[in-house]
């Protein structure tokens, strides 16, 4: 029955809704992206460059902000002959967008833009504009990336996601229920998750029996820990997709043990939707290079393979309010390998977290936030943790400990941190009963509160 509905949804229901009712071209773009992913890396690079050239020409003609900025630098589109030249263009920041919001709109699109806002995880929400085509393309890229993890259209999917904000009307609730039923989706509100109601989430999964579970990493980890601790066995899905935050390897292990299914990492942000995702090989995240230009930058230039860098992104199809070389505040590490799946899309080894959550020292050290999840994954009895830096010379580590955590565990933590940071930073460890999720339902394992 599930296979029949999946086929009917993909061939009849979704085209009728997306193409017929909503007049969107998502399926056309999806066909294109599914074809493009199998091109050789060189062919994808050529396709990306052609699309980038068209966008840069458009920006110079129609977007006042870029025309003014590039003229100050005596740069015209014809001067940008390769990606090295392109990397000389100024980086766009959230501050730039707020200060020059209207000038970033293309002249021919000013009255036709759609708008969204970021969630403001740094405390500063940001509004931005986009075109209908770019939105349809983003949806197509999302479907392609989720399909790599087995999440096909019409497949029975449970979302452990954020709930509605405010008080939706009865009509809105009815519309959501109908939409989710047709799309074979069930949504559980992760914002309401507590230690006391974990069994309710497990019961809901058992009742719905999803093929795929998609969720924020933090709530997935909390539920996985409860399942393991309680010995509860629930319905076994065919795959778990983590989104909205980085999936660290120790978290992947917990999720896979609890749900007895493979867990897949994805990387995206509100400004662009899906940036990269793991395929069935799970040896890195494929960058959607036929849709975006993703650079990894250091203060000295491009980050080499295996070295973390700041993420800088250009959406190749948002002609209405283009973000050219936009620094979204994240760090990631590139891979120099080619995936065994045969796709020509380049790989990220991992997403290292937010730039603002990198740990700094008085000696000028900058340690990616990924270090602590990587080191702490091997500590016996450590159930949950959060590392917070409030001062340059001090780190606070909150630990939820299990029965296996002992003095040797604590000694190991102090020894490994000292190896990397030396004695210039004081490490204070605190034992706590729980570490709450953020207001957006996420679990931040490394947090820097220092002023950038």
């Amino acid at each position: 029955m599930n296979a029949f509905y999946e086929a009917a949804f993909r061939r009849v229901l979704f085209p009728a809704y997306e193409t017929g009712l909503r007049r969107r071209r998502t399926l056309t773009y999806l066909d294109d992206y599914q074809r493009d992913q199998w091109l050789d890396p060189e062919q994808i690079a050529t396709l990306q460059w052609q699309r980038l050239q068209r966008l840069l020409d458009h920006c110079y003609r129609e977007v006042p902000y870029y025309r003014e900025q590039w003229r100050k630098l005596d740069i015209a589109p014809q001067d940008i002959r390769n990606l090295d030249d392109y990397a000389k263009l100024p980086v766009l920041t959230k501050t730039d967008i707020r200060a020059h919001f209207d000038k970033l709109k293309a002249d021919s699109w000013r009255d036709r833009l759609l708008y969204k806002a970021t969630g403001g995880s740094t405390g500063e929400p940001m509004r931005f504009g986009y075109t209908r085509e770019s939105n349809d393309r983003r949806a197509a890229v999302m479907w392609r990336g989720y399909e790599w993890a087995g999440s096909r259209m019409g497949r029975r999917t449970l979302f452990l996601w954020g709930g509605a904000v405010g008080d939706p009307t009865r009509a809105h609730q009815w519309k959501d229920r109908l939409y989710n039923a047709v799309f074979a989706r069930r949504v559980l509100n992760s914002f309401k998750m507590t230690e006391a109601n974990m069994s309710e989430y497990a019961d809901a999964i058992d009742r719905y029996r999803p093929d795929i579970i998609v969720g924020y990493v933090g709530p997935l980890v909390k539920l996985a820990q409860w399942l393991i601790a309680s010995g509860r066995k629930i319905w076994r899905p065919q795959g778990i997709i983590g989104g909205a935050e980085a999936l660290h390897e120790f978290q992947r292990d917990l999720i896979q043990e609890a749900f007895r299914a493979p867990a897949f990492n994805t990387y995206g942000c509100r400004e662009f939707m899906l940036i990269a995702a793991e395929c069935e090989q799970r040896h890195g995240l494929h960058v959607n290079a036929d849709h975006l230009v993703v650079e990894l930058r250091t203060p000295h230039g491009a980050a080499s393979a295996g070295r973390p860098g700041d993420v800088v992104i250009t959406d190749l199809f948002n002609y209405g309010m283009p973000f050219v070389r936009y620094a979204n505040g994240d760090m990631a590490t590139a891979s120099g390998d080619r995936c065994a799946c045969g796709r020509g899309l380049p790989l990220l080894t991992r997403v290292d977290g937010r730039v603002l959550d990198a740990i700094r020292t008085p000696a000028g050290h900058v340690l990616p936030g990924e270090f602590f999840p990587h080191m702490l994954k091997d500590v016996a009895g450590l159930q949950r943790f959060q590392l917070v830096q409030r001062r340059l010379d001090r780190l606070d580590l909150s630990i939820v400990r299990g029965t296996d955590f002992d003095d040797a565990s604590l000694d190991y933590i102090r020894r490994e941190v000292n190896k990397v940071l030396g004695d210039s930073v004081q490490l204070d460890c605190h034992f706590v009963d729980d570490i709450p999720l953020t207001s957006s339902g996420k679990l931040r394992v490394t947090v820097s509160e220092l002023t950038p």
Side-chain angles (χ1 to χ4, degrees):
M1 183 63 183
N2 282 359
F4 173 80
Y5 186 82
E6 184 183 323
F9 183 86
R10 176 67 173 86
R11 296 170 187 168
V12 180
L13 295 177
F14 190 71
Y17 172 79
E18 195 75 355
T19 306
L21 181 62
R22 301 307 298 268
R23 298 284 189 257
R24 293 172 178 161
R25 300 190 63 199
T26 307
L27 286 170
T28 299
Y29 298 138
L30 178 57
D31 288 342
D32 293 341
Y33 285 126
Q34 286 178 326
R35 181 190 65 245
D36 293 345
Q37 67 183 324
W38 300 109
L39 296 173
D40 290 336
E42 296 76 15
Q43 292 174 303
I44 290 178
T46 299
L47 182 64
Q48 181 192 65
W49 176 244
Q50 291 169 348
R51 291 172 173 175
L52 178 60
Q53 284 182 305
R54 287 196 293 270
L55 178 69
L56 296 177
D57 286 340
H58 167 81
C59 288
Y60 194 75
R61 288 194 318 271
E62 293 220 22
V63 184
Y65 175 80
Y66 295 116
R67 186 164 56 245
E68 292 172 11
Q69 292 292 315
W70 299 351
R71 281 178 176 173
K72 288 178 185 177
L73 297 171
D74 197 25
I75 295 175
Q78 60 267 27
D79 300 321
I80 304 170
R81 295 175 293 273
N82 50 49
L83 288 177
D84 288 336
D85 292 337
Y86 158 77
K88 296 174 184 176
L89 295 175
V91 168
L92 182 72
T93 67
K94 289 180 171 68
T95 301
D96 295 328
I97 294 166
R98 293 188 184 95
H100 304 284
F101 188 82
D102 285 330
K103 285 189 173 183
L104 279 161
K105 299 176 186 177
D107 292 333
S108 60
W109 280 97
R110 286 185 177 275
D111 299 324
R112 294 185 288 157
L113 287 175
L114 305 169
Y115 293 94
K116 286 183 183 178
T118 63
S121 60
T122 61
E124 296 181 279
M126 183 189 73
R127 191 164 173 258
F128 60 94
Y130 60 98
T131 65
R132 175 175 286 239
E133 177 183 349
S134 68
N135 188 64
D136 293 352
R137 285 183 174 275
R138 291 173 188 189
V141 166
M142 182 274 294
W143 280 115
R144 179 179 72 173
Y146 275 35
E147 190 172 291
W148 298 337
S151 181
R152 298 186 295 270
M153 287 183 180
R155 205 162 196 202
R156 202 170 180 84
T157 303
L158 184 139
F159 286 80
L160 188 57
W161 215 247
V165 177
D167 298 310
T169 64
R170 187 170 298 178
H172 186 82
Q173 294 177 36
W174 181 87
K175 181 181 176 182
D176 281 348
R177 283 196 293 270
L178 178 62
Y179 179 88
N180 288 330
V182 172
F183 273 70
R185 301 174 9 148
R186 173 79 192 279
V187 181
L188 301 182
N189 188 352
S190 66
F191 293 172
K192 295 184 178 180
M193 179 179 283
T194 67
E195 294 292 339
N197 66 8
M198 290 292 185
S199 62
E200 297 176 17
Y201 288 85
D203 293 343
I205 292 171
D206 275 337
R207 286 194 301 271
Y208 192 66
R209 300 169 63 137
D211 294 316
I212 301 292
I213 295 176
V214 180
Y216 290 160
V217 171
L220 284 171
V221 170
K222 290 197 74 170
L223 182 55
Q225 290 172 323
W226 181 86
L227 291 170
I228 293 169
S230 65
R232 173 79 181 266
K233 300 294 184 186
I234 61 172
W235 169 259
R236 182 179 182 178
Q238 295 182 30
I240 310 283
I241 299 176
E245 51 191 310
L247 176 67
H248 302 296
E249 287 306 310
F250 83 98
Q251 295 170 322
R252 189 200 301 267
D253 293 342
L254 284 169
I255 292 169
Q256 293 183 157
E257 178 183 351
F259 291 93
R260 294 164 294 136
F264 294 81
N265 198 3
T266 64
Y267 172 47
C269 67
R270 181 79 167 164
E271 296 92 323
F272 304 104
M273 289 178 61
L274 190 67
I275 298 168
E278 288 184 325
C279 70
E280 56 275 6
Q281 298 292 324
R282 294 188 297 159
H283 290 154
L285 296 91
H286 285 286
V287 177
N288 294 311
D290 49 350
H291 176 70
L292 306 166
V293 178
V294 178
E295 305 169 76
L296 301 180
R297 309 296 300 180
T298 73
H300 310 292
S304 56
R307 306 279 296 186
D310 296 352
V311 177
V312 177
I313 309 178
T314 297
D315 183 332
L316 295 170
F317 293 99
N318 185 6
Y319 278 64
M321 189 173 180
F323 283 4
V324 176
R325 304 201 70 229
Y326 170 66
N328 72 346
D330 291 335
M331 297 179 70
T333 299
S335 169
D337 298 334
R338 172 89 185 265
C339 186
C341 71
R343 294 177 179 88
L345 299 169
L347 292 170
L348 297 178
T349 299
R350 62 181 180 270
V351 179
D352 296 280
R354 296 168 62 242
V355 171
L356 293 179
D357 289 341
I359 300 302
R360 290 178 278 165
T361 74
H365 230 93
V366 179
L367 190 66
E370 170 69 19
F371 166 76
F372 288 93
H374 178 71
M375 182 268 288
L376 293 168
K377 72 181 189 301
D378 296 322
V379 177
L382 192 151
Q383 294 184 342
R384 203 172 306 148
F385 70 90
Q386 186 179 65
L387 190 287
V388 180
Q389 184 174 28
R390 298 181 176 91
R391 287 178 10 198
L392 197 61
D393 60 350
R394 175 177 164 177
L395 302 175
D396 289 291
L397 179 63
S398 296
I399 297 171
V400 178
R401 55 183 169 174
T403 55
D404 292 337
F405 193 96
D406 55 19
D407 290 343
S409 303
L410 197 56
D411 291 341
Y412 172 85
I413 293 172
R414 294 189 182 281
R415 186 170 61 251
E416 292 303 310
V417 171
N418 187 262
K419 282 182 185 177
V420 177
L421 299 180
D423 57 7
S424 65
V425 176
Q426 175 184 333
L427 176 67
D428 288 341
C429 298
H430 316 276
F431 299 115
V432 298
D433 294 330
D434 190 25
I435 297 171
L437 303 177
T438 67
S439 59
S440 60
K442 302 177 185 179
L443 175 64
R444 290 175 64 187
V445 294
T446 307
V447 180
S448 173
E449 296 181 358
L450 298 181
T451 302

